Amino acid sequence: MLVTAWVAVGVVAAVAATVSFEHMRELAARSGEGWRSFLLPLSADGLIVAGSLVMYVRSRSGEQAGFLPWLALLGGLVVSVAANVGTALLPPPGEPVPVPVRMAVAGFSPVALIVAAELLMQLVRQSSRKERGRR
C-alpha cells in the first residue's frame, strides 16, 4: 500500500509540475524573457521547495519554522498560481502583454534570489550554532 501511495503522489506531482512549468514558461516568454523563460518556473516552484525543506530541517532539530520559510512557501505558491491563472488571461498571441504583467515577471527573480539567499544563510547559521554546541 505504501508503494502505491508513493507512486500516486509522484504521478500527480509530475503531471502538475509539468503543466504548471509550461504555463509559467509561456507567461515569461510572452512577457519578453526569451531564454530566461525556462528559469522563472524553477525559481517560483523552487521557493516552495526551499521553504518547505527549511521548515522540515528546523522541525527535525526542534526549532520553529520562522517567518521567512513560510514567506517562501506561501509567496512561491501565490506566484505560481497567479502565473498559471495569468497565462489564461493573456491577450491572444501577437498582441502585447500588459506592462504590469511584464513588470511583475521581471521583478520576481530578484525577490526570489534575496529570499533564497537568506534561507541559505539561516541554514548556515543554524548549522554553525549546532557545531558550536557540540564542542
Side-chain angles (χ1 to χ4, degrees):
M1 190 58 89
L2 183 60
V3 171
T4 303
W6 275 95
V7 169
V9 168
V11 168
V12 169
V15 169
T18 301
V19 172
S20 178
F21 182 94
E22 181 52 28
H23 283 148
M24 284 191 276
R25 189 212 55 79
E26 180 183 350
L27 179 70
R30 300 242 342 251
S31 296
E33 291 298 314
W35 66 268
R36 296 176 305 275
S37 65
F38 286 94
L39 301 174
L40 181 75
L42 298 176
S43 64
D45 291 342
L47 276 183
I48 295 170
V49 172
S52 298
L53 288 174
V54 170
M55 284 191 264
Y56 175 73
V57 167
R58 288 189 176 162
S59 73
R60 296 271 301 172
S61 65
E63 296 182 31
Q64 294 290 321
F67 174 76
L68 194 62
W70 276 108
L71 178 68
L73 172 66
L74 297 175
L77 178 62
V78 166
V79 167
S80 182
V81 170
N84 277 271
V85 171
T87 302
L89 301 174
L90 287 173
E95 291 186 26
V97 172
V99 170
V101 173
R102 293 194 324 259
M103 290 171 65
V105 168
F108 173 71
S109 293
V111 173
L113 174 63
I114 291 166
V115 171
E118 182 55 30
L119 284 173
L120 179 61
M121 291 309 302
Q122 287 182 4
L123 288 175
V124 167
R125 287 190 292 270
Q126 178 181 348
S127 177
S128 186
R129 283 193 306 270
K130 276 184 174 179
E131 280 298 313
R132 282 194 301 262
R134 289 184 188 155
R135 292 180 190 170

